[in-house]
Each structure stands twice: as C-alpha cells, then as structure tokens.
Amino acid sequence: MDDKSLHTLEYHKVLEKLAAYADFSVSADLASALRPTDKLEEALERQTRTTEARRLLSIRSETSIGGATDIRPQIEIAARSGVLTGEDLLNIKATLIAARELSRALERQAETYPRLSAITTRMPPPPGLIETISRTISDHGDVLDSASPKLASIRSEMNVAHERLLSRLERLINDPKNAPILQEQIITQRNGRYVIPLRADFKGRIRSIVHDQSSSGQTLFVEPLAVVELNNTWHELELAERDEERRILAELTDQVGRFAGTLIGIVDALAEMDFCLACAKYAEDLKAAEPVLVPTRKMRDGSHPGTTLKLYYARHPLLDPASVVPIDLVLDESTYALVITGPNTGGKTVTLKTVGLLALMAQSGLHIPVQSGSELSVFENIYADIGDEQSIEQSLSTFSGHITNIVRILKKADRRSLVLLDELGAGTDPQEGSALARAIMAHLVEQRVTNLVATHYPELKAFAHSTPGVVNASMEFDLKTLRPTYHLIIGLPGRSNALAICERLHVPDEIITAARNMLNPSDLKAEDLLDEIHRQRDIARRLRSDADRQRTDAEKLRLQWLEKMEKVEDERQALLEKARHDAETEVFELRGELDEVRRELSRARQPLEALKPLQQQVSALEEAAQAPVVRRQPEKAAGAPAPRPLRVGDKVKLRSLHLDGVVTALGESEVEVQIGNLRVRSRLTDIQRPNEDEQTPATQAAGSASSSPADRDSAAARPQIFAPSPGMELDLRGQRAEDALDALDRYIDNAYLSGLPFVRIIHGKGTGKLRQVIRDALRHSPHVDRWQSGQENEGGDGVTVAHLVKD
C-alpha cells in the first residue's frame, strides 16, 4: 500500500487505537505493524478471525492471555547459556500457564472457533517445565529449599550458625562489664559481618577487628575476636548458599534454553491470539460490522473496472460516534466514479477519508463502523491526495505539491486501485483549474480507475452528468439554519447557495439582483432545476416519513389485534380442554360400568353379544374425547414484514432453559446454540430473538400447535430441566489437574442445568495444588456465583462448596 496515502488517510491513528486494546506488548507491536493486504483470500481470513474473536468474547468475556509477558529477552539469555533470575523464571512460568489455559479453553471448541483454535495449537508448553519452575522457585522469586538436598542442608546449617553467632554477640553486649564501653547495646552489620558499636575512647578494651566508624568518629563498629570464627562460618555458608542457588538457576535456565524455539513460538501464538482479541474489542467499541469482501467482477466490454463500493450507514472511525453523521455511499454496478460537490466544511473531505480509511481497515481484517451488508472490493492500492487546508487562498507551492502528488498517483493507479482526490484543481486560476480537473477526471475514467473526487467546479457536475460510469453527489446544506447537514446525496449535484445565503444574511436586494443579472441565464436555469429537484426530493422524503409512521401505527394495531385473537383462542382452548377432560372422565366411568355389567352377565352365564354395540359406541366416544384440541392460527395481514431469518452468530434465548446463547449451526427445523461450554440442539419454535417479547403473539402461535394451555402454563411457570441431577458431590481426589478440570467442567454444567443450588467438590488437602487449580476454575466459571471452604464436619479445606448462579 502507498505509505503516503496511508498517512494522509490517518491509518496510523487507527492502529494506535487498536494497539491500546492489546494486553501484551508483543501484540501491541503486531497492531502497530499491521498493514492492509491486497489479497482477497488473506483479507477474508483476517476478517473471519476477528469475527470468531468477537463471538468468543460475547460468550466468554473473560477470555484473555492472562499474566503473559514478553519473555523473549529471557529466552535469548537462556539460549546463550546465561543465568536467569528467579523473577525471570516466574515470568516464564506465568506466560506458559496463560498459554496452557487458553489452549485448553479452545481445545474443546475447535469446530466453533477453527481459526482461533489453530493458533492455540502452538501454545501447549513443554512438558514438565511449569512444574519444575514451581518446584524450584517461590512465588516471590526465591529459590526454594526443596530445589536440592544440598541447598536444604546448607540453609539448615546456616540457621544453626546464625543462631550461635547472634547468641554469642548478645552475651557480649549484655555483659555488665561491657555496658559502659558500648555506644548502644545493639548488633548490626558492616561489610556483610556482624559487629557491635564500641566507643572510640575504649578502643583497646575489647580485642576486636575494626570494620567501620561513625561520621562523628565517636563510635567504632568492631567484630570481637571471640566471634570471628563464627562470623567466618556463617559467611562461608552464605557463599555456599549463593553458589548452590546459582547452580540451580543455571540448571533451570539450561532447561529453558533447550526449549527456546518452542517458547518463542508460544509467545508469537499468544501475541497473535491477543491481537485477534484486540481487533474484536475495538470492533465492539466501534459498534462495527464485518464487511462483505467481494472479488473483482470480470466485465466483458471493459466499461467498468469490476469493483464494488457499497457502504451503508458508514461512520468515520476516528470521530466521536455520538456526533458523527453516518453516510450511505453506494455505487451501482455501472458506476465507478463519483463527483462530490457542496459547501466548504460540508463534509466532502470527511467523506473521502471515511471511504478510504474503511477500505484500508477492511483489508487489514478489522471490522468497520458500517451497517451489516456493506460490500467492498479488495483494492490493490489506495491513493489519496487530501489536503487539510480548506481556504481558497492556497499558495503556488501548495498547488505544486498537490499536482506533484497527483502525477505520481496517475502513473501508478490502475483498474484495481481506488483514488481519492480532494479539491481537484484548486489553488490556481479557476478556468485553468477547472479544465485541469476535467482532464484528470477524464483520464481516470478512461483508465477505468475507481475514484471519488471532491470539487467546487460546476463544470465537473456537467462532466459527471454526461459521462458513463460517473455520477454526481452532493453534501446537503440547510438554508434555514445556514449549516451543512453532512448528509451525502448520490445522484444530485450540489447547488450554489451563495445568493440564497446572502438573502438570509440580509445583503441588500439591489446587490443580489445585480449579481443575478451577471450570471449566465443557462446557469440560472440549471440552478432553478436543481432547486426544484431538491424541493421535490424533500417533499418525497416527508411523504415517505409519513408513510413509514402510518405503517408503524398499522403494525402496532395489527399486533394488538393478534394479541387479542390469541387471548380469545387461549380461552377457547381452555374451555375445549376442560370439556374434553370432563368427557374423558365420563367415558372412563361409563367403561367401568360396562365392565361391571359384563362381569354380572358372565356370572349369570348370559350371552354378551348385546354388549358389543355398546362397547363400540364407548370406544367411539373415547376416541373422540382423546382427540387433541387444534389451535387455530390467525391469518397474517397482507404485506406484514417477515422476521429476518436466523443466522450463525445471532444472539438468542432458549425459552425452555431460560438461558442466552449464540447460534452456531442451523438446520431445517432445528438450531444449535452455544450456551457457555455447552452446545444445545433445540427446535426453532423454542428460540427467542433478543428484540422479541417473551409473550409475543408469534411466540404463542409457534408453540401452541403441539402443547395444551395447561402445558404452556406449566412451562412458563418453571424452567424445564435439561439434564438429570449429577449428585451433590464430586470426588476428584487422586486425579491429575488436567483430568480433574475436565471432570469439573462437565459436572458444573450438568449441576447448573439441573437447577442445583450448590455442590461440593472433594479434592483433599495434600499439597494444595489440586485445590488451587479447582478454585481458580470455579472463580472463572460463568455458572458459579461464589465458593467457600467446607465446614469442619464437611472436610474443611479438603472440600470446596460452590454456590451456583440462580436464574
């Protein structure tokens, strides 16, 4: 991509905003280095990854790279046989744990997130490395006693030597004979050795070695000869401890160095994953949508470059979303050039920058702030000549700079390029500038280059009107308020509002009349026609607004009618169900009486043929009573809008479970919904859209054909149980952490769906590792409200009680 145009369109500012969403310095570097691609397949791949990341965050908002840091410098030290510190090893451990947890989280959802899962396949840490670091380094970065038997022995001897040394010094300073010659009865250190403060006047009273003196010279810090050997012993053990710690760290560093390539790959995968999450977070805050990237069409006659540019409700990503005015910029299949006219500060420059920047973002894999369904081609290059200077008093040097840039663009632009030119031909004589602008525009059209041009020259309006493939557009201006509205109108050139504005500002009538008489009559006629077109368009807009409002009112009345009809149908069904139930009861009693008559006749040895007609009549009555009550569907009003079909990725709610989820697959009559870690198949009639009411008529009509009012009432009164109770306890003692987490996930999901208020997880006390892993998993589970240790009679710290979320 053209670097100058990237800077002109402020692409670097978009990258700065994107990098701010990264939780990882390496992924922030990826964001800053992001460049648009000119390959359609690569752009689609990037877009799909961003879409998957948004879907993942919508279900598991806590997904992140955890405590990962950039450990590449430490890995390089280890690869060069250096020695890492305890803090360095802790950072490596935290990064590997974050990679392992992220890999496990997506491992079971590879079908739902195939591209993100492909990234996490590079994340599993080398076997045993995390455990080795945990066994060797404490949470504060110190080498643990358990790191080696020798270190444990040295530290044990150090403690004994230290206690002997301090005990001997304490006897010296507490001796009444020494109290007068000591400055204070304290023990301190100088040069790594324990000393006592002796008054300088009594230097020879205690046989000792002088290590230091106070600034006043009144105090000498001396080491009594009686403790020199004890000090030596303690210091030697300190040196032995240091050497052993260094040996252990060197050994552990060597193990890290052996996996240097794998660890660098894990860091790269974490950065790539965090970059995808950053793209998703940025898209959510922008309220962006995935653009539809389409291939360049092959045109047989060569009259069109085959590019597509359809942006609906597009917003500039760097402007305040609360104040920016969205635009619709849609070029039909025969148009590839647009001439935009309108007043100064009316939004022409912002429109050009919006189109260019959104195209760059789309080709970078970023979702863009447009309405869903917007389409874009993947351009091989995007060129822009857009100046920030809006004044007509541009200097010659500025004009020369613009022309130099335009010449460079004309040499490089082709059918797969997008060219954006602002104030084309401005800064020089109007006649020459207009001619130059038309010539440049004609050249771009002849070369079939997709281009958008902003200008003030009326000659370009005529050029656009008469040239195939080119269309006029204008930025709307409100004459009542004398302010631009920033709305883009495609198909209509901008009007010259100078005289109208002068009238609003009370310029004398004779001046306005004189100015009007100086204008070319054909220009006045064209302006009058434009005024009439705009006036008719405003009338059509008002009429359409009124029609939309009336249609909305009619739709409300239709829904109210449907609701009343549904209530009537509910009452009818309830009465029929009651009558059917009464009939079943009577038929049951009648059959009982008939059986009694049969038994009496059998005992009297009378013929039973006379009962056969009665039995047939009872069976007919029983069959009629058992026939289900069919619900009548109200006829839909003609022209009633049909709801948009469900799509993969839509957020929905399962009425039967009272749970929210995301659609992951669609069938003819069934839909698959991702709810947390579960994927549930359900009937389409059980699906509720986010904007639907729980008791909308459509909902009632959809579910009534297969259920009675009593069934519907009971279903509404209580949630259906999706799974049987898995029991109140789960015993995980003796299991490895990975197996225990898998069993815990399945158990918590089943317990939540079965409606259990709380569960007990038995993990035992032991070293506490399994307990910590389980409690970390419970802390991040969306189904767990809180957890606590078990009571004494429940097992104490060997048991964790998890209270589940209530609907």
Side-chain angles (χ1 to χ4, degrees):
M1 284 291 168
D2 184 57
D3 289 334
K4 180 176 176 59
S5 297
L6 290 178
H7 184 76
T8 299
L9 294 170
E10 300 179 301
Y11 178 72
H12 59 286
K13 293 184 179 180
V14 171
L15 298 187
E16 289 172 5
K17 287 184 174 291
L18 175 62
Y21 288 89
D23 295 329
F24 194 27
S25 60
V26 190
S27 54
D29 293 340
L30 284 180
S32 300
L34 180 64
R35 289 295 179 270
T37 178
D38 59 352
K39 307 286 192 303
L40 176 62
E41 295 76 13
E42 186 178 352
L44 289 172
E45 177 71 16
R46 293 182 181 184
Q47 287 289 343
T48 305
R49 284 167 56 168
T50 302
T51 300
E52 285 188 9
R54 289 186 73 177
R55 192 187 312 157
L56 175 62
L57 290 177
S58 70
I59 297 173
R60 300 176 64 97
S61 59
E62 72 280 1
T63 303
S64 71
I65 59 166
T69 56
D70 185 5
I71 57 174
R72 291 177 300 180
Q74 290 89 336
I75 296 172
E76 291 177 4
I77 292 173
R80 294 198 302 267
S81 301
V83 179
L84 298 177
T85 65
E87 291 293 334
D88 292 337
L89 292 167
L90 280 184
N91 287 337
I92 292 174
K93 172 188 169 183
T95 302
L96 294 181
I97 290 176
R100 183 178 65 184
E101 291 180 351
L102 201 53
S103 176
R104 286 176 176 173
L106 289 175
E107 183 179 7
R108 296 187 296 273
Q109 303 182 56
E111 293 183 4
T112 307
Y113 311 105
R115 287 162 181 81
L116 297 185
S117 296
I119 297 174
T120 59
T121 55
R122 313 198 307 267
M123 289 185 186
L129 185 56
I130 295 176
E131 291 73 15
T132 302
I133 296 175
S134 300
R135 194 167 50 248
T136 305
I137 307 297
S138 73
D139 292 339
H140 301 290
D142 302 322
V143 180
L144 294 169
D145 293 354
S146 58
S148 75
K150 184 178 179 181
L151 181 62
S153 175
I154 290 172
R155 286 180 175 174
S156 177
E157 293 178 16
M158 277 183 61
N159 291 334
V160 173
H162 190 258
E163 289 177 3
R164 288 177 180 173
L165 174 59
L166 293 182
S167 177
R168 187 66 178 272
L169 287 172
E170 285 175 358
R171 286 202 300 271
L172 282 173
I173 65 175
N174 292 328
D175 190 342
K177 295 179 182 179
N178 296 329
I181 64 176
L182 296 176
Q183 196 69 263
E184 290 182 85
Q185 290 181 312
I186 62 170
I187 302 170
T188 185
Q189 278 188 311
R190 288 295 186 274
N191 301 324
R193 300 180 73 86
Y194 281 101
V195 295
I196 58 176
L198 179 69
R199 292 184 179 182
D201 298 339
F202 300 98
K203 178 179 179 182
R205 295 290 295 274
I206 296 179
R207 298 181 63 192
S208 58
I209 301 171
V210 178
H211 286 281
D212 198 3
Q213 71 175 6
S214 65
S215 56
S216 65
Q218 299 296 316
T219 304
L220 299 176
F221 296 95
V222 300
E223 178 185 4
L225 293 179
V227 299
V228 169
E229 190 61 31
L230 293 174
N231 245 330
N232 288 343
T233 301
W234 176 72
H235 193 59
E236 289 171 1
L237 289 171
E238 268 193 328
L239 295 176
E241 179 193 33
R242 182 198 65 187
D243 292 342
E244 180 62 13
E245 286 181 349
R246 185 173 179 81
R247 184 194 68 78
I248 293 169
L249 291 174
E251 188 176 291
L252 193 53
T253 301
D254 182 63
Q255 186 174 349
V256 171
R258 290 199 298 270
F259 295 112
T262 303
L263 297 180
I264 292 292
I266 290 174
V267 173
D268 292 341
L270 280 170
E272 200 171 338
M273 185 68 181
D274 188 50
F275 171 75
C276 293
L277 296 176
C279 292
K281 295 173 186 174
Y282 186 33
E284 283 296 323
D285 284 354
L286 273 180
K287 295 181 175 58
E290 179 182 2
V292 179
L293 299 180
V294 297
T296 303
R297 305 189 307 276
K298 293 182 180 180
M299 312 300 290
R300 293 181 180 179
D301 57 359
S303 62
H304 192 285
T307 54
T308 300
L309 196 58
K310 296 179 180 180
L311 299 175
Y312 302 101
Y313 215 69
R315 294 172 282 117
H316 194 291
L318 299 178
L319 297 180
D320 183 7
S323 58
V324 65
V325 177
I327 61 170
D328 290 335
L329 195 149
V330 181
L331 302 185
D332 58 38
E333 294 185 356
S334 61
T335 303
Y336 59 94
L338 193 68
V339 175
I340 306 174
T341 52
N344 287 325
T345 69
K348 299 190 299 297
T349 301
V350 173
T351 297
L352 296 181
K353 285 188 173 183
T354 299
V355 174
L357 197 50
L358 295 191
L360 292 173
M361 290 175 65
Q363 293 178 214
S364 301
L366 302 177
H367 289 184
I368 57 178
V370 295
Q371 196 173 69
S372 179
S374 297
E375 298 180 16
L376 281 168
S377 291
V378 173
F379 296 98
E380 195 171 84
N381 222 320
I382 297 175
Y383 299 100
D385 181 71
I386 301 175
D388 293 329
E389 180 62 51
Q390 296 293 323
S391 172
I392 61 173
E393 298 175 356
Q394 293 176 340
S395 64
L396 179 61
S397 60
T398 302
F399 173 75
S400 300
H402 281 297
I403 293 300
T404 301
N405 192 31
I406 290 173
V407 169
R408 183 182 64 86
I409 292 173
L410 294 178
K411 288 180 179 179
K412 295 182 178 181
D414 57 20
R415 287 172 176 256
R416 289 200 59 196
S417 302
L418 172 64
V419 174
L420 308 169
L421 301 177
D422 187 30
E423 300 296 346
L424 182 60
T428 186
D429 178 76
Q431 281 189 320
E432 293 183 354
S434 173
L436 181 62
R438 279 179 289 166
I440 293 173
M441 188 81 182
H443 176 79
L444 291 172
V445 172
E446 289 173 4
Q447 297 298 318
R448 302 296 184 260
V449 178
T450 305
N451 65 90
L452 277 69
V453 173
T455 183
H456 281 290
Y457 292 126
E459 291 82 1
L460 278 182
K461 301 178 188 178
F463 174 84
H465 181 72
S466 59
T467 305
V470 189
V471 70
N472 274 303
S474 60
M475 305 306 299
E476 191 178 49
F477 188 84
D478 190 343
L479 284 176
K480 293 182 180 178
T481 61
L482 299 182
R483 292 176 181 269
T485 65
Y486 305 107
H487 288 118
L488 178 68
I489 305 170
I490 294 180
L492 289 179
R495 291 175 291 178
S496 176
N497 296 305
L499 297 180
I501 293 174
C502 289
E503 288 179 347
R504 293 283 181 179
L505 296 177
H506 305 295
V507 173
D509 293 341
E510 58 270 17
I511 295 178
I512 294 176
T513 303
R516 194 180 295 276
N517 292 333
M518 294 178 187
L519 292 175
N520 190 322
S522 60
D523 292 339
L524 284 175
K525 185 176 181 181
E527 286 298 323
D528 291 339
L529 287 174
L530 279 176
D531 287 342
E532 179 62 21
I533 291 172
H534 280 273
R535 190 178 69 82
Q536 293 295 336
R537 182 186 59 82
D538 291 341
I539 293 174
R541 180 186 293 176
R542 286 196 300 272
L543 292 175
R544 180 175 179 179
S545 177
D546 292 341
D548 288 342
R549 185 169 57 254
Q550 292 173 6
R551 184 177 63 182
T552 301
D553 294 340
E555 180 65 15
K556 288 181 180 178
L557 291 174
R558 188 183 70 86
L559 291 176
Q560 291 174 2
W561 174 81
L562 283 174
E563 187 175 356
K564 290 179 180 179
M565 292 299 295
E566 287 292 331
K567 289 180 179 179
V568 170
E569 182 62 19
D570 286 342
E571 294 176 2
R572 185 187 76 86
Q573 276 205 311
L575 291 173
L576 290 177
E577 284 290 342
K578 184 177 182 305
R580 187 171 68 85
H581 179 72
D582 293 343
E584 285 181 341
T585 303
E586 293 179 3
V587 169
F588 179 78
E589 293 174 354
L590 183 59
R591 184 173 288 279
E593 294 175 0
L594 189 61
D595 290 341
E596 182 64 27
V597 171
R598 184 187 297 108
R599 284 193 294 272
E600 291 292 337
L601 290 176
S602 296
R603 282 197 294 268
R605 298 188 179 184
Q606 297 295 323
L608 303 179
E609 286 77 5
L611 296 180
K612 287 184 179 180
L614 291 176
Q615 288 177 340
Q616 293 175 354
Q617 293 179 13
V618 170
S619 297
L621 289 174
E622 187 175 26
E623 184 177 352
Q626 291 177 350
V629 179
V630 179
R631 186 182 184 88
R632 294 184 301 194
Q633 300 295 333
E635 295 183 2
K636 291 186 177 180
R644 179 181 68 79
L646 277 177
R647 297 173 183 168
V648 173
D650 283 355
K651 295 181 180 180
V652 296
K653 179 178 182 179
L654 286 183
R655 294 190 181 89
S656 57
L657 299 181
H658 294 277
L659 293 176
D660 294 327
V662 175
V663 176
T664 56
L666 289 169
E668 292 185 3
S669 60
E670 288 187 333
V671 60
E672 184 180 89
V673 180
Q674 182 87 23
I675 303 176
N677 292 328
L678 295 179
R679 295 203 314 198
V680 180
R681 283 196 173 275
S682 177
R683 298 190 311 274
L684 283 171
T685 53
D686 195 31
I687 298 299
Q688 178 185 344
R689 305 285 186 93
N691 57 349
E692 288 180 355
D693 246 355
E694 185 67 31
Q695 296 297 330
T696 57
T699 300
Q700 295 171 351
S704 61
S706 59
S707 62
S708 66
D711 294 335
R712 292 197 307 275
D713 292 342
S714 62
R718 55 175 174 79
Q720 297 180 8
I721 297 177
F722 174 71
S725 171
M728 297 295 292
E729 290 185 350
L730 174 65
D731 192 347
L732 300 175
R733 287 176 292 184
Q735 296 190 25
R736 294 186 306 167
E738 186 173 356
D739 296 334
L741 286 177
D742 290 340
L744 179 65
D745 282 346
R746 292 192 298 270
Y747 175 75
I748 291 296
D749 288 336
N750 291 333
Y752 173 75
L753 291 176
S754 65
L756 293 180
F758 64 89
V759 292
R760 297 185 184 89
I761 295 94
I762 305 173
H763 42 68
K765 297 181 180 178
T767 62
K769 178 182 176 182
L770 182 59
R771 176 182 62 211
Q772 185 62 39
V773 168
I774 288 172
R775 290 183 176 178
D776 285 343
L778 293 175
R779 186 178 296 111
H780 294 94
S781 173
H783 303 323
V784 176
D785 183 28
R786 67 186 191 281
W787 57 263
Q788 62 189 40
S789 296
Q791 302 294 329
E792 287 301 321
N793 59 352
E794 294 178 320
D797 285 339
V799 173
T800 297
V801 179
H803 295 266
L804 303 183
V805 174
K806 298 179 181 179
D807 286 333

